[in-house]
Amino acid sequence: IQLTQSPSFLSASVGDTVSITCRASQDIAVFLAWYQQKPGKAPNLLISGTSTLQSGVPPRFSGNGFGTEFTLTISNLQPEDFATYYCQQLNSYLFTFGPGTKVDIK
Amino acid sequence: QITLKESGPTLVKPTQTLTLTCSFSGFSLSSTGVGVGWIRQPPGGALEWLALIYWDTGTRYSPSLQRRLTITKDASKDEVALTMTNLDPEDTATYFCAHSPDSALGHFDSWGPGVLVTVSS
């Protein structure tokens, strides 16, 4: 299963609301996770199972979707949110990551 | 608190075999549903899943790299090892190990800091 993300790059300002879309080449039900990665650091899990926010992740992050189309929304963008975001799926015990979306400061 | 840390050579010659070790604490790889995976990231590139081993010793591999990978666990030492054969400069990447808490949902909730492996003669 292949994952695509759009956009690949996103320029936004503090306080904006942004959305990132992840599309799967086949139906993956709700088995999708989102990660945030900052330069030189390991990825950090934000959301699992499409919409379950991980402990300690601010509620301005939210996820939704089902099947083949999923969205990560960041409301009221904060300076610490500028990073690269990856989606990741599990299907038939095989994992795939999306190509990433870089969120930069406008 | 779950922690993981990768270790292994940072410079490998083409055609050689790479063995990386993931040492972990804060969880048991004998607990039902738990797994440890390996993911890599080339410089400036995206994440690529490589392999995962489950609590029941079941293993899964990336189809594109399956012929070159072996993942094993040593439950007595809380370690997971990844072996990759016939290395190529394109295998230059930061290699991460990560904890998967739920074999059904399939996400990685704790990661090691990663180890940069350079493949060069």
Side-chain angles (χ1 to χ4, degrees):
Chain A
I1 292 182
Q2 306 301 315
L3 295 178
T4 59
Q5 287 183 236
S6 59
S8 301
F9 181 85
L10 190 159
S11 186
S13 301
V14 172
D16 285 351
T17 294
V18 300
S19 292
I20 300 168
T21 298
C22 178
R23 291 186 174 89
S25 58
Q26 297 178 35
D27 189 333
I28 58 171
V30 295
F31 301 114
L32 189 98
W34 290 97
Y35 301 82
Q36 177 192 69
Q37 187 180 32
K38 296 182 178 179
K41 300 294 187 181
N44 179 50
L45 178 67
L46 299 174
I47 289 171
S48 63
T50 295
S51 60
T52 301
L53 204 63
Q54 298 305 292
S55 174
V57 175
R60 63 179 180 271
F61 291 90
S62 63
N64 61 56
F66 185 86
T68 61
E69 187 157 329
F70 302 84
T71 302
L72 171 70
T73 299
I74 312 171
S75 304
N76 188 22
L77 205 62
Q78 295 299 297
E80 60 267 30
D81 301 336
F82 293 96
T84 300
Y85 293 84
Y86 293 93
C87 57
Q88 173 252 312
Q89 69 85 32
L90 167 68
N91 182 267
S92 299
Y93 293 100
L94 298 178
F95 302 77
T96 312
F97 286 89
T101 295
K102 184 175 183 179
V103 178
D104 209 349
I105 301 175
K106 184 182 291 183
Chain B
Q1 180 189 2
I2 291 174
T3 63
L4 306 99
K5 186 172 184 179
E6 307 84 356
S7 60
T10 57
L11 180 63
V12 184
K13 289 181 167 48
T15 75
Q16 287 188 335
T17 294
L18 171 70
T19 297
L20 297 172
T21 300
C22 176
S23 302
F24 59 84
S25 64
F27 68 95
S28 171
L29 195 43
S30 300
S31 299
T32 301
V34 171
V36 171
W38 286 93
I39 300 100
R40 72 179 179 180
Q41 184 171 40
L47 301 167
E48 179 185 18
W49 171 71
L50 302 176
L52 185 138
I53 189 163
Y54 287 108
W55 81 101
D56 60 358
T57 71
T59 57
R60 297 293 184 270
Y61 295 98
S62 166
S64 63
L65 292 166
Q66 184 171 8
R67 291 182 295 108
R68 301 172 53 206
L69 297 175
T70 304
I71 189 171
T72 57
K73 67 170 181 155
D74 186 335
S76 64
K77 291 184 180 179
D78 287 343
E79 291 181 349
V80 170
L82 179 74
T83 299
M84 179 182 289
T85 61
N86 193 25
L87 259 68
D88 182 270
E90 289 194 351
D91 296 312
T92 293
T94 296
Y95 287 75
F96 299 99
C97 63
H99 171 258
S100 177
D102 187 324
S103 61
L105 288 178
H107 55 271
F108 299 99
D109 65 351
S110 296
W111 294 61
V115 58
L116 174 60
V117 177
T118 301
V119 182
S120 174
S121 54

